[in-house]
Every structure is written in C-alpha cells, then in structure tokens.
Amino acid sequence: MSLQISILTPERPFWNGQADEIILPTETGEMGVLKNHAPIITGLDVGAMLIRGGQATGSKDEWNSYAIMGGFALVKQNQVTILANEAVSAENINPEEAKEAFEIAKVNLEKAEGVKEKVEANFAYKRAKARYQVVKVLKKI
Amino acid sequence: RGKRLLVDDLLGNMALRNAASFLGQRLVGAAELGISAAKSGAGEALTNAFVTDGVRHASNQAVKQRIRAIKNIGKITKAMKMVAASKMKNAQVAVEQSRGIVNPFVRLFGDHPGVEGKAGVTVAVTSDRGLCGGLNSNITKYTRALLKLDTAAAGEAASTKLVAIGDKGRSQLMRAEGRLFSYAIADTYKVRVTFAQASLIAEELLKSNPEVVKVMFNKFRSAISFKPTLATVLTPEALEKQLTEPTGNRLDAYEIEATHERSDVMRDLAEFQLAATLYNAMLENNCSEHASRMSAMENSTKSAGEMLGKLTLEYNRKRQATITTELIEIIAGASALMDA
C-alpha cells in the first residue's frame, strides 16, 4: 500500500492504483521498485510488468502482470508513472492464443530475411513474447 | 469545388438544385458549393424583388424554384448537424482519455511557451474539410501572430519552419506565410487518428533537429467552447538549457538509468512527448471541428428557414397580385361590354 502507480497510454489512462512492489521490464533488465526508491527515469522494453499487493490484487503477496509494449517509467517520492505505448492486462489475454502467437512469431523470426523483414519479425516476436510471458507468470506465481 | 458561381440571372438556382441532389452523398463538398450559391443567389433575388420592384421582377416560377432549392439546402444542413453531433460525441470520449498522458510530461518538463529557439518548428493543426465555422481561420490568425513574435524575438537568425496538418491550414497558411511554409500533412482524419500516425508525424518533425516544437490547435473545452491553445515541446538540448534558467525544471532530481547515454534516453523521451502531445492535439482539434460544424450547420438551417419564410411570403403575395390583376381585367372588360 506504499506505492502510488499510474499506467498511462496515449489512448487512455490504463490503470491507477496502489501497490507494494512493482517490477519493470527496463532495457537493462528487470528492475524492482519498492517504497522510498531513488528518483529515476528509465526506458522500458517490450515485456511483462509485475505488480504485487495493494489494489492490484487481493492480498499482499499476490502478483498481477501486464504486458507493456515499450515506454518510460518515472519514479519519484513513491509515485510511479508508467508511460507506455500500449499496455495489456493479463486478464485480457487468451493463454492458448498467446502461446500460439508466440510460437508463430518465433518461427517467423528465424525465417525472416532482409533487414526490413527481420526488424518487423523481431518486433512481432517481442510483442508475442511479452504477452506470453504475462500469461505464464499469472499461472506460475 | 472552388468554383465561384456568378448568380446574375436566376438560372443560378441550377447550382442550388445540383447541390440539393447531392443529399445523402458527399454532403460537405457539395453543400459548400450549394450554400455559397444560395447565399449569393437568394440574396440577389430578394434585392431584385424588393429594391428594383416593378423594373425587373423575379418571375414567380423562379421564386418557386428557389424556395424548393433552399428547402433542400435546409435539409442538408440539418442532416450535417446531426452527423456532426454524433461524431462529436464519439470523439469526446477519445479526447478526454488522451489527455491523461500529456499531464505527466508537463509536470516533468514544465510548459515553456516563451522559449525562443533559433531553429523551431511550428505546427498548425487544422481540419481537412470546411463548413466548420471560424475554427481554421482562428488558428491561422494565432499562428501568424506567433510567428511574428518568434521572428521578432530571434531576429534574422530565426528559421522557423511552418507545418500544417489539415488541408484548410495548408491553403490558408500557404497564402499567408508562403515564405516560412514547409510542408503539410493531409487526410489524417480520414481513418481514425491513431498514436502510430502521431508518432510518424513526430519523427518527421524532428528530422530537422529543431530546438522547440510549438503546436497550435483548438482545445475542446465544451460543445460550444474551443480555444486555440499552444503546446510547447522542447527537445533535449533546449531542456538542458532550461535547467540553468531560474524557471528551469527539476529534471536533475532524477537519475537516468539506461544502457545508452542519458542524451539518448532524453531524446527518446522527448520524441514520445511530442508524439503524445500531437496525438492529443489532433484529437482535440478533431472534436472541436465537429462541435463547430454542428453549431455552424445549426445557424445555417436557421437562416435557411428565415429565408424560406421571406420568399414564401413574396411568392404568395405575387401570386395573389396576379390573380387580382386578372380578376380586375376580366371585370373591367365585362363591365365595359355591359356598358356598351
């Protein structure tokens, strides 16, 4: 109940609420933010973001996950602002679909030739991976 | 579409009938033609009838045709008003939600409309289609004033590029400030405005490495109020400069964590801010356009109704006068026969 989190996308404010801990998929790896973290601005990669406790879930030790398609995170004085290009909540992802999409994207990435195709395939792969990861986390944790 | 019809003779009502027959099709394009003709044609008919009465009448047949045409124009504008109202309702939802992401940026970087950058880009967001009231000329007016301020402040070293989003802005600004005009982006509202579109435009705008990007658009306050608003987005170099000013932002308070240099992260962040600001600006302008068109069409329908009333009176008066004249002739002839 110590962090005030707002996830914003260009289309709409995605989620506002409180939580105890948040794990961000930054470009340098996963970064956890707890109460009284130092002020920081970091870029976010396409990946899964995890939120523990507070209004996101029922109990203090449950995790909720969201797929973030890149963006930025600002942390200051226990206020975490996530500016994302796109965000999807775990509830809204169909697990089988996500798994299938992930497999297809992986195959496409290996098949891709030429710079343009490779870049597109890579992007699609990252998106599918993020969505799949989110679903996996929900089933495991 | 830009043809100006000279409505000397009342065969100008042919254009009115053409416009009326476009009902249900491309309302805006055709109605523009028809309405300009109706304004000039019907106005002339009235003056002809009342001022030069007795010398050159509008023949009753022609007045009847004009009445029919104006009735149709009234129908068109009423339909356009309803279409605009429903579009505005949809757009309103999107606008309110897109405002959320602009605020953190303003909180972080501050708003510095007074920044004088040597190489700046000014973007005027306008609509593609007309018949939306004074919206676009308002933007043009404010943009020109802004450009004057900028060039006055920075002197000859200033190189502000002018970019217009929307056809109306393009035509107006090209005529007014052709020297500074750079390029225009049109047909953005044909399909829904998306963030991807805004990102593309932002990328294009930043290609010339400007110091500051100023976006002029109509902010949607309510269904009857849209204010021209200026959003200023600074690029990282200008931001760093701002830090040293007394009104500078508190960016230093943040640590930047990234694999790349701090400047790369800042540049990406600034680009994101520009894209989000543009997205919000385009949505707000789009919504204001619909609201303005709604009220413009409402006024149009009302004046069409008034014109209709006046013309109908004139028509009936003439009709009765003709009948009376005929009766008098008949009676006079009959009484002459009787006397004789």
Side-chain angles (χ1 to χ4, degrees):
Chain A
M1 225 61 71
S2 42
L3 295 174
Q4 180 71 26
I5 301 182
S6 39
I7 307 178
L8 303 167
T9 60
E11 272 98 30
R12 62 187 179 98
F14 185 73
W15 188 75
N16 270 320
Q18 293 186 325
D20 289 326
E21 183 181 347
I22 179 168
I23 296 187
L24 302 166
T26 69
E27 290 161 350
T28 46
E30 304 214 326
M31 178 180 104
V33 177
L34 289 165
K35 195 166 127 172
N36 291 332
H37 197 282
I40 191 166
I41 299 179
T42 175
L44 297 179
D45 206 5
V46 178
M49 179 175 75
L50 305 162
I51 298 186
R52 175 174 69 84
Q55 292 172 343
T57 61
S59 78
K60 265 185 61 139
D61 295 317
E62 265 185 49
W63 291 87
N64 211 345
S65 59
Y66 303 88
I68 300 284
M69 310 299 175
F72 290 89
L74 314 169
V75 182
K76 187 170 179 184
Q77 289 171 341
N78 292 331
Q79 167 99 7
V80 180
T81 313
I82 316 265
L83 308 165
N85 285 319
E86 205 185 315
V88 192
S89 170
E91 295 107 41
N92 297 336
I93 303 181
N94 184 343
E96 288 87 35
E97 258 186 68
K99 182 154 189 215
E100 234 185 271
F102 177 58
E103 306 287 334
I104 295 176
K106 202 152 76 163
V107 169
N108 281 341
L109 180 62
E110 281 154 23
K111 273 200 302 186
E113 294 184 22
V115 179
K116 181 169 185 273
E117 262 195 52
K118 277 216 179 84
V119 168
E120 282 177 8
N122 198 8
F123 188 62
Y125 173 68
K126 282 189 15 199
R127 278 180 65 105
K129 183 160 167 223
R131 291 168 71 99
Y132 183 48
Q133 260 179 354
V134 159
V135 167
K136 258 200 320 185
V137 161
L138 203 63
K139 285 198 274 194
K140 268 210 201 131
I141 295 185
Chain B
R1 210 176 9 125
K3 246 190 341 162
R4 309 218 53 257
L5 288 175
L6 300 172
V7 192
D8 276 358
D9 56 40
L10 299 161
L11 293 178
N13 60 31
M14 278 305 290
L16 291 174
R17 274 204 278 164
N18 282 340
S21 78
F22 270 105
L23 179 70
Q25 287 183 37
R26 295 160 55 96
L27 292 175
V28 178
E32 259 180 15
L33 186 64
I35 284 178
S36 61
K39 265 200 213 144
S40 48
E44 285 203 12
L46 283 176
T47 39
N48 278 345
F50 293 127
V51 173
T52 65
D53 199 22
V55 177
R56 220 193 318 164
H57 276 270
S59 92
N60 234 17
Q61 176 73 334
V63 176
K64 193 155 88 164
Q65 280 176 337
R66 189 164 297 271
I67 288 179
R68 204 172 344 132
I70 293 190
K71 228 184 260 189
N72 284 335
I73 296 278
K75 280 193 214 152
I76 295 177
T77 53
K78 191 159 122 185
M80 282 180 64
K81 171 181 165 221
M82 296 199 280
V83 165
S86 79
K87 282 205 181 143
M88 180 192 83
K89 223 169 284 182
N90 289 341
Q92 206 168 340
V93 171
V95 165
E96 276 157 19
Q97 290 184 332
S98 79
R99 286 184 186 152
I101 201 174
V102 179
N103 291 335
F105 281 115
V106 177
R107 256 188 296 136
L108 181 64
F109 294 132
D111 190 28
H112 310 274
V115 163
E116 302 153 5
K118 287 246 164 57
V121 174
T122 309
V123 184
V125 184
T126 57
S127 65
D128 277 330
R129 297 178 160 262
L131 292 187
C132 49
L135 219 61
N136 296 321
S137 11
N138 236 5
I139 292 280
T140 314
K141 191 168 56 167
Y142 279 87
T143 310
R144 295 184 64 194
L146 182 70
L147 286 172
K148 246 189 251 246
L149 278 174
D150 274 347
T151 44
E156 313 92 37
S159 56
T160 322
K161 281 168 57 154
L162 185 56
V163 176
I165 298 183
D167 269 327
K168 286 291 161 181
R170 177 176 58 90
S171 46
Q172 285 178 5
L173 285 171
M174 225 175 359
R175 223 180 311 141
E177 303 273 352
R179 199 172 37 94
L180 296 167
F181 192 79
S182 201
Y183 54 92
I185 302 168
D187 283 344
T188 45
Y189 311 106
K190 248 201 175 134
V191 203
R192 232 171 20 101
V193 177
T194 57
F195 183 63
Q197 248 180 32
S199 310
L200 230 79
I201 299 177
E203 217 179 290
E204 185 68 38
L205 288 173
L206 290 172
K207 269 197 189 141
S208 61
N209 287 328
E211 278 183 17
V212 53
V213 181
K214 299 192 176 174
V215 186
M216 184 79 80
F217 62 100
N218 286 101
K219 193 170 171 94
F220 179 78
R221 301 279 210 81
S222 78
I224 46 171
S225 154
F226 357 95
K227 295 271 151 72
T229 314
L230 178 63
T232 317
V233 176
L234 297 174
T235 44
E237 300 86 28
L239 271 175
E240 305 281 359
K241 253 200 295 184
Q242 275 288 310
L243 278 176
T244 55
E245 309 261 318
T247 58
N249 54 50
R250 298 164 310 266
L251 214 57
D252 261 353
Y254 287 87
E255 239 178 75
I256 315 274
E257 177 171 314
T259 49
H260 324 283
E261 293 289 325
R262 169 194 170 104
S263 57
D264 275 351
V265 174
M266 294 304 291
R267 198 190 49 230
D268 281 344
L269 195 56
E271 199 173 305
F272 194 31
Q273 183 196 7
L274 181 60
T277 312
L278 267 176
Y279 182 63
N280 175 256
M282 291 204 288
L283 281 179
E284 301 253 6
N285 201 56
N286 192 28
C287 198
S288 309
E289 175 197 340
H290 292 310
S292 184
R293 180 166 298 130
M294 199 176 81
S295 72
M297 290 298 102
E298 165 76 43
N299 290 338
S300 234
T301 316
K302 225 187 304 180
S303 19
E306 285 171 12
M307 217 180 274
L308 203 60
K310 276 198 208 125
L311 284 177
T312 313
L313 273 177
E314 185 203 329
Y315 174 73
N316 284 330
R317 211 177 296 148
K318 257 204 210 85
R319 185 176 55 87
Q320 289 163 348
T322 323
I323 293 173
T324 314
T325 322
E326 276 188 39
L327 273 174
I328 290 178
E329 284 173 7
I330 292 172
I331 293 173
S335 65
L337 276 176
M338 279 204 333
D339 288 344

Coordinates of all heavy atoms in Angstrom, one line a residue, chain B residues 117-176:
Chain B
G117 N 13.6 29.6 -29.6 CA 14.6 28.7 -30.2 C 15.0 29.3 -31.5 O 14.2 29.8 -32.3
K118 N 16.3 29.0 -31.9 CA 16.7 29.5 -33.2 C 16.1 28.7 -34.3 O 15.7 29.2 -35.3 CB 18.3 29.4 -33.3 CG 18.9 30.5 -32.4 CD 19.7 31.5 -33.3 CE 20.0 32.7 -32.5 NZ 20.8 32.4 -31.3
A119 N 16.1 27.4 -34.1 CA 15.6 26.6 -35.2 C 14.3 25.9 -34.6 O 14.4 25.0 -33.9 CB 16.6 25.5 -35.6
G120 N 13.2 26.5 -34.9 CA 12.0 25.9 -34.4 C 11.0 25.4 -35.4 O 11.2 25.7 -36.6
V121 N 10.1 24.6 -35.0 CA 9.0 24.1 -35.9 C 7.7 24.5 -35.3 O 7.5 24.2 -34.1 CB 9.1 22.6 -36.1 CG1 7.9 22.1 -37.0 CG2 10.4 22.2 -36.8
T122 N 6.9 25.2 -36.1 CA 5.5 25.5 -35.6 C 4.5 24.7 -36.4 O 4.6 24.7 -37.6 CB 5.3 27.0 -35.8 OG1 6.3 27.7 -35.3 CG2 4.0 27.4 -35.1
V123 N 3.7 24.0 -35.7 CA 2.7 23.1 -36.3 C 1.3 23.7 -36.1 O 0.9 24.0 -34.9 CB 2.8 21.7 -35.7 CG1 1.8 20.8 -36.5 CG2 4.2 21.1 -35.8
A124 N 0.6 23.9 -37.2 CA -0.8 24.4 -37.0 C -1.7 23.2 -37.3 O -1.7 22.7 -38.4 CB -1.0 25.5 -38.0
V125 N -2.5 22.8 -36.4 CA -3.4 21.7 -36.6 C -4.8 22.2 -37.0 O -5.4 23.0 -36.3 CB -3.6 20.9 -35.3 CG1 -4.4 19.7 -35.5 CG2 -2.2 20.5 -34.7
T126 N -5.2 21.9 -38.2 CA -6.5 22.3 -38.7 C -7.3 21.2 -39.3 O -6.9 20.0 -39.2 CB -6.3 23.4 -39.9 OG1 -5.5 22.7 -40.9 CG2 -5.6 24.6 -39.4
S127 N -8.4 21.5 -39.8 CA -9.3 20.4 -40.3 C -9.0 20.2 -41.8 O -8.5 21.1 -42.5 CB -10.7 20.7 -40.1 OG -11.1 21.8 -40.8
D128 N -9.5 19.1 -42.3 CA -9.4 18.8 -43.7 C -10.5 19.5 -44.5 O -10.4 19.9 -45.6 CB -9.4 17.3 -44.0 CG -8.0 16.7 -43.8 OD1 -7.0 17.5 -44.0 OD2 -7.9 15.6 -43.4
R129 N -11.7 19.4 -43.9 CA -12.9 19.9 -44.6 C -13.4 21.2 -44.0 O -13.1 21.6 -42.9 CB -14.0 18.8 -44.4 CG -13.6 17.6 -45.0 CD -14.6 16.5 -44.9 NE -14.4 15.4 -45.8 CZ -15.1 15.4 -47.0 NH1 -16.0 16.2 -47.2 NH2 -14.8 14.4 -47.8
G130 N -14.2 21.9 -44.8 CA -14.6 23.2 -44.4 C -16.0 23.1 -43.7 O -16.4 22.1 -43.2
L131 N -16.7 24.3 -43.8 CA -18.0 24.4 -43.2 C -18.0 24.1 -41.7 O -18.9 23.5 -41.2 CB -19.0 23.4 -43.9 CG -19.4 23.7 -45.3 CD1 -20.5 22.8 -45.8 CD2 -19.9 25.2 -45.4
C132 N -16.9 24.5 -41.0 CA -16.9 24.3 -39.6 C -16.7 25.6 -38.9 O -16.0 25.7 -37.9 CB -15.8 23.3 -39.3 SG -14.2 23.7 -40.0
G133 N -17.3 26.7 -39.3 CA -17.2 27.9 -38.6 C -15.9 28.5 -38.7 O -15.1 28.3 -39.6
G134 N -15.5 29.4 -37.8 CA -14.3 30.1 -37.8 C -13.1 29.4 -37.3 O -12.0 30.1 -37.0
L135 N -13.2 28.1 -37.1 CA -12.1 27.4 -36.5 C -10.8 27.6 -37.1 O -9.8 27.9 -36.5 CB -12.5 25.9 -36.5 CG -12.2 25.1 -35.3 CD1 -12.9 25.6 -34.1 CD2 -12.6 23.7 -35.5
N136 N -10.7 27.3 -38.4 CA -9.4 27.3 -39.1 C -8.8 28.7 -39.3 O -7.6 28.9 -39.2 CB -9.5 26.6 -40.4 CG -9.9 25.1 -40.3 OD1 -9.4 24.5 -39.4 ND2 -10.8 24.6 -41.1
S137 N -9.7 29.6 -39.5 CA -9.1 31.0 -39.7 C -8.6 31.5 -38.3 O -7.7 32.3 -38.3 CB -10.2 32.0 -40.2 OG -11.4 31.4 -40.2
N138 N -9.2 31.0 -37.3 CA -8.7 31.4 -35.9 C -7.3 30.9 -35.7 O -6.4 31.6 -35.3 CB -9.7 30.7 -34.9 CG -10.2 31.8 -33.9 OD1 -10.0 32.9 -34.1 ND2 -10.9 31.3 -32.9
I139 N -7.1 29.6 -36.1 CA -5.8 29.0 -35.9 C -4.8 29.8 -36.8 O -3.7 30.1 -36.3 CB -5.8 27.5 -36.3 CG1 -6.6 26.7 -35.3 CG2 -4.4 27.0 -36.4 CD1 -5.9 26.4 -34.1
T140 N -5.2 30.1 -38.0 CA -4.3 30.8 -38.9 C -3.9 32.1 -38.3 O -2.7 32.5 -38.3 CB -4.9 31.0 -40.3 OG1 -5.5 29.8 -40.7 CG2 -3.9 31.5 -41.3
K141 N -4.9 32.8 -37.7 CA -4.6 34.1 -37.1 C -3.6 34.0 -36.0 O -2.6 34.7 -36.0 CB -6.0 34.7 -36.6 CG -5.9 36.1 -36.2 CD -7.3 36.7 -36.0 CE -8.1 35.8 -34.9 NZ -9.3 36.5 -34.5
Y142 N -3.8 33.0 -35.1 CA -2.9 32.9 -34.0 C -1.6 32.4 -34.4 O -0.5 32.8 -33.8 CB -3.5 31.9 -32.9 CG -4.6 32.6 -32.0 CD1 -5.9 32.7 -32.4 CD2 -4.2 33.1 -30.8 CE1 -6.9 33.2 -31.6 CE2 -5.2 33.7 -30.0 CZ -6.5 33.8 -30.4 OH -7.4 34.4 -29.6
T143 N -1.5 31.5 -35.4 CA -0.2 31.1 -35.8 C 0.6 32.2 -36.4 O 1.8 32.3 -36.2 CB -0.4 30.0 -36.9 OG1 -1.3 29.0 -36.4 CG2 0.9 29.3 -37.2
R144 N -0.1 33.0 -37.2 CA 0.7 34.2 -37.8 C 1.2 35.1 -36.7 O 2.3 35.6 -36.8 CB -0.2 34.9 -38.7 CG -0.7 34.1 -39.9 CD -1.5 34.9 -40.9 NE -0.7 35.9 -41.5 CZ -1.2 36.9 -42.2 NH1 -2.5 37.0 -42.4 NH2 -0.4 37.9 -42.7
A145 N 0.4 35.3 -35.7 CA 0.8 36.2 -34.6 C 2.0 35.6 -33.9 O 3.0 36.2 -33.6 CB -0.3 36.4 -33.6
L146 N 1.9 34.2 -33.7 CA 3.0 33.5 -33.0 C 4.3 33.7 -33.8 O 5.4 33.9 -33.3 CB 2.7 32.1 -32.8 CG 3.7 31.2 -32.1 CD1 3.7 31.6 -30.7 CD2 3.3 29.8 -32.2
L147 N 4.2 33.5 -35.1 CA 5.4 33.6 -36.0 C 6.0 35.0 -35.9 O 7.2 35.1 -35.9 CB 5.0 33.2 -37.4 CG 4.7 31.7 -37.7 CD1 4.2 31.5 -39.1 CD2 6.0 30.9 -37.5
K148 N 5.1 35.9 -35.9 CA 5.6 37.3 -35.8 C 6.4 37.5 -34.6 O 7.5 38.1 -34.6 CB 4.5 38.3 -35.9 CG 4.5 39.2 -37.1 CD 3.5 40.3 -37.1 CE 2.4 40.0 -38.0 NZ 1.7 40.1 -39.0
L149 N 5.9 37.0 -33.4 CA 6.6 37.1 -32.2 C 7.9 36.4 -32.2 O 8.9 37.0 -31.8 CB 5.7 36.5 -31.1 CG 4.6 37.3 -30.4 CD1 3.8 36.4 -29.5 CD2 5.2 38.5 -29.7
D150 N 7.9 35.2 -32.8 CA 9.2 34.5 -32.8 C 10.2 35.2 -33.7 O 11.4 35.3 -33.3 CB 8.9 33.1 -33.5 CG 8.4 32.1 -32.4 OD1 8.5 32.4 -31.2 OD2 7.9 31.0 -32.7
T151 N 9.8 35.6 -34.9 CA 10.8 36.2 -35.7 C 11.3 37.6 -35.1 O 12.4 37.9 -35.2 CB 10.3 36.5 -37.1 OG1 9.0 37.0 -37.0 CG2 10.2 35.2 -37.9
A152 N 10.4 38.2 -34.4 CA 10.8 39.5 -33.8 C 11.8 39.2 -32.7 O 12.8 40.0 -32.5 CB 9.6 40.2 -33.2
A153 N 11.6 38.1 -31.9 CA 12.4 37.8 -30.8 C 13.8 37.4 -31.2 O 14.8 37.8 -30.7 CB 11.8 36.8 -29.9
A154 N 13.8 36.5 -32.2 CA 15.1 35.8 -32.6 C 15.8 36.6 -33.6 O 17.0 36.3 -33.9 CB 14.8 34.4 -33.0
G155 N 15.2 37.4 -34.3 CA 15.9 38.2 -35.4 C 16.0 37.4 -36.6 O 15.3 36.5 -36.9
E156 N 17.0 37.8 -37.5 CA 17.2 37.2 -38.8 C 17.7 35.8 -38.6 O 17.6 35.0 -39.5 CB 18.1 37.9 -39.7 CG 17.9 39.4 -39.7 CD 18.8 40.1 -38.7 OE1 19.9 39.7 -38.5 OE2 18.3 41.1 -38.1
A157 N 18.3 35.5 -37.5 CA 18.8 34.1 -37.3 C 17.7 33.1 -37.2 O 18.0 31.9 -37.3 CB 19.7 34.1 -36.1
A158 N 16.5 33.6 -37.0 CA 15.4 32.7 -36.8 C 15.1 31.9 -38.1 O 15.1 32.4 -39.2 CB 14.2 33.4 -36.4
S159 N 14.9 30.6 -37.9 CA 14.5 29.8 -39.1 C 13.4 28.9 -38.6 O 13.6 27.8 -38.3 CB 15.7 29.0 -39.6 OG 16.2 28.2 -38.5
T160 N 12.2 29.5 -38.5 CA 11.1 28.7 -38.0 C 10.4 28.1 -39.2 O 10.2 28.7 -40.2 CB 10.0 29.6 -37.4 OG1 10.7 30.6 -36.6 CG2 9.1 28.8 -36.5
K161 N 10.3 26.8 -39.1 CA 9.6 26.1 -40.2 C 8.1 26.0 -39.8 O 7.8 25.8 -38.7 CB 10.1 24.7 -40.4 CG 11.4 24.7 -41.2 CD 12.1 23.4 -41.1 CE 11.3 22.3 -41.6 NZ 12.0 21.2 -42.2
L162 N 7.3 26.1 -40.8 CA 5.8 26.1 -40.6 C 5.3 24.8 -41.2 O 5.5 24.5 -42.4 CB 5.2 27.3 -41.2 CG 3.7 27.5 -41.0 CD1 3.4 27.5 -39.5 CD2 3.3 28.8 -41.6
V163 N 4.6 24.0 -40.4 CA 4.0 22.8 -40.9 C 2.5 22.9 -40.6 O 2.1 23.3 -39.5 CB 4.6 21.6 -40.2 CG1 3.9 20.3 -40.7 CG2 6.1 21.5 -40.5
A164 N 1.7 22.5 -41.6 CA 0.3 22.5 -41.4 C -0.2 21.0 -41.4 O 0.1 20.3 -42.3 CB -0.4 23.3 -42.5
I165 N -1.1 20.7 -40.5 CA -1.8 19.4 -40.5 C -3.2 19.7 -40.9 O -3.9 20.4 -40.2 CB -1.7 18.7 -39.2 CG1 -0.3 18.4 -38.8 CG2 -2.5 17.4 -39.2 CD1 -0.2 17.7 -37.5
G166 N -3.7 19.2 -42.0 CA -5.0 19.5 -42.5 C -5.0 20.4 -43.7 O -4.2 21.4 -43.8
D167 N -5.9 20.1 -44.6 CA -5.9 20.9 -45.9 C -6.3 22.3 -45.7 O -5.7 23.2 -46.4 CB -7.0 20.2 -46.8 CG -6.4 19.2 -47.7 OD1 -5.2 19.3 -48.0 OD2 -7.0 18.2 -48.0
K168 N -7.2 22.6 -44.8 CA -7.6 24.0 -44.7 C -6.4 24.9 -44.2 O -6.2 26.0 -44.7 CB -8.7 24.1 -43.6 CG -10.0 23.6 -44.2 CD -10.5 24.5 -45.2 CE -11.6 23.9 -46.1 NZ -12.0 24.8 -47.2
G169 N -5.6 24.3 -43.3 CA -4.5 25.1 -42.8 C -3.5 25.3 -43.9 O -2.9 26.4 -44.1
R170 N -3.3 24.3 -44.7 CA -2.4 24.3 -45.8 C -2.7 25.5 -46.7 O -1.9 26.3 -47.0 CB -2.3 23.0 -46.6 CG -1.4 23.0 -47.8 CD -1.4 21.7 -48.4 NE -2.7 21.2 -48.8 CZ -3.2 21.5 -50.0 NH1 -2.5 22.2 -50.9 NH2 -4.4 21.1 -50.3
S171 N -4.0 25.5 -47.2 CA -4.3 26.6 -48.2 C -4.2 28.0 -47.5 O -3.7 28.9 -48.2 CB -5.7 26.3 -48.8 OG -6.6 26.0 -47.7
Q172 N -4.7 28.1 -46.3 CA -4.6 29.4 -45.7 C -3.2 29.9 -45.4 O -2.9 31.0 -45.6 CB -5.5 29.4 -44.4 CG -7.0 29.4 -44.7 CD -7.8 29.4 -43.4 OE1 -7.3 29.5 -42.3 NE2 -9.1 29.3 -43.6
L173 N -2.4 29.0 -44.8 CA -1.1 29.4 -44.4 C -0.1 29.6 -45.6 O 0.7 30.4 -45.6 CB -0.5 28.4 -43.4 CG -1.1 28.5 -42.0 CD1 -0.7 27.4 -41.2 CD2 -0.7 29.8 -41.4
M174 N -0.4 28.8 -46.6 CA 0.5 28.9 -47.8 C 0.3 30.3 -48.4 O 1.3 30.9 -48.9 CB 0.2 27.8 -48.8 CG 1.4 27.2 -49.3 SD 1.4 25.8 -50.5 CE -0.2 25.4 -50.8
R175 N -0.9 30.7 -48.4 CA -1.2 32.1 -48.9 C -0.6 33.1 -48.0 O -0.1 34.1 -48.5 CB -2.7 32.3 -49.1 CG -3.1 32.9 -50.4 CD -4.6 33.1 -50.5 NE -5.3 31.9 -50.2 CZ -6.5 31.9 -49.5 NH1 -7.0 33.0 -49.0 NH2 -7.1 30.8 -49.3
A176 N -0.8 32.9 -46.7 CA -0.4 34.0 -45.8 C 1.1 34.0 -45.5 O 1.7 35.1 -45.5 CB -1.2 33.8 -44.5

